[in-house]
Amino acid sequence: MGKLEVQENSGVSVSLPHNDGVNATNYKGQAKPASSKDCIPIIDHETGARTLARLSNQVEQRTER
């Protein structure tokens, strides 16, 4: 399961484990307001429901492996 940490000064850190269960990819960056056009699709594979959610923030990222 992934891990999301929100830090002071709008810092954000996300860690997503690899399928091997050992390694992970880490994303770090600063949150800033998103454009009013920024959206993300959310799909519930059990019910088939689809939702388009508008984002309030986005993260400028740096990737570490």
Side-chain angles (χ1 to χ4, degrees), residues 24-44:
T25 298
N26 300 303
Y27 300 93
K28 293 183 181 182
Q30 293 296 116
K32 67 176 188 174
S35 161
S36 61
K37 296 179 183 179
D38 289 337
C39 297
I40 186 170
I42 300 172
I43 301 170
D44 184 330

Side-chain angles (χ1 to χ4, degrees), residues 39-45 48-55:
C39 297
I40 186 170
I42 300 172
I43 301 170
D44 184 330
H45 294 284
R50 295 181 175 103
T51 304
L52 189 60
R54 187 164 298 181
L55 300 178

